[in-house]
């Protein structure tokens, strides 16, 4: 799966109409397609997990429903973490190639 490595914090959030689940803008089209046909109960489970993750990441109160701005702040953090991870993986490959 190819990730879309662009993140525009000004772009509107991609939210599931049934549950409010936020899809990362870098999610591949296949993931969006799967979400559109996923049973509502399954999406609600994922949404609940996402809420817990966002609240923890942003130190929000336990019952807070994140605003769009807070979701974007969380997505920015996730995006930065992902870019760092990918850069580290790429860096290790490069170092191995130099030894060889």
């Amino acid at each position: 799966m190819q990730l879309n490595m662009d993140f525009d914090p000004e772009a509107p959030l991609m939210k599931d109409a049934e549950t409010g689940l936020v899809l990362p803008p870098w999610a591949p089209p296949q993931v969006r397609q799967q979400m559109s046909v996923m049973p509502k109960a399954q999406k609600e489970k994922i949404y609940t997990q996402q809420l817990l993750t966002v609240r923890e990441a942003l130190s929000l109160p336990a019952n807070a429903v994140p605003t769009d701005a807070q979701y974007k702040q969380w997505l920015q953090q996730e995006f930065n973490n992902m870019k760092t991870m990918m850069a580290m993986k790429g860096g290790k490959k490069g170092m191995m190639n130099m030894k060889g």
Side-chain angles (χ1 to χ4, degrees):
M1 269 195 305
Q2 184 61 39
L3 292 173
N4 174 3
M5 288 306 293
D6 290 326
F7 178 65
D8 178 5
E10 300 304 311
L13 291 173
M14 286 189 285
K15 281 189 177 181
D16 176 65
E18 280 186 311
T19 62
L21 176 67
V22 174
L23 281 176
W26 55 83
Q30 306 92 293
V31 172
R32 284 180 240 160
Q33 180 58 37
Q34 288 168 344
M35 288 299 295
S36 67
V37 295
M38 192 180 283
K40 185 177 179 184
Q42 191 176 353
K43 285 194 281 192
E44 284 174 342
K45 272 188 194 166
I46 298 169
Y47 174 67
T48 301
Q49 189 58 52
Q50 185 179 69
L51 275 179
L52 294 172
T53 303
V54 173
R55 287 174 187 152
E56 189 178 318
L58 301 180
S59 303
L60 299 175
N63 60 351
V65 176
T67 63
D68 282 7
Q70 287 169 325
Y71 269 121
K72 287 178 182 183
Q73 183 184 349
W74 170 69
L75 286 169
Q76 184 70 64
Q77 286 177 5
E78 291 292 298
F79 182 70
N80 292 343
N81 292 343
M82 195 170 58
K83 276 196 341 195
T84 302
M85 291 291 288
M86 292 179 97
M88 284 169 57
K89 284 181 186 169
K92 283 182 183 168
K93 274 187 203 160
M95 286 169 66
M96 284 179 200
N97 290 345
M98 285 170 61
K99 287 181 191 170

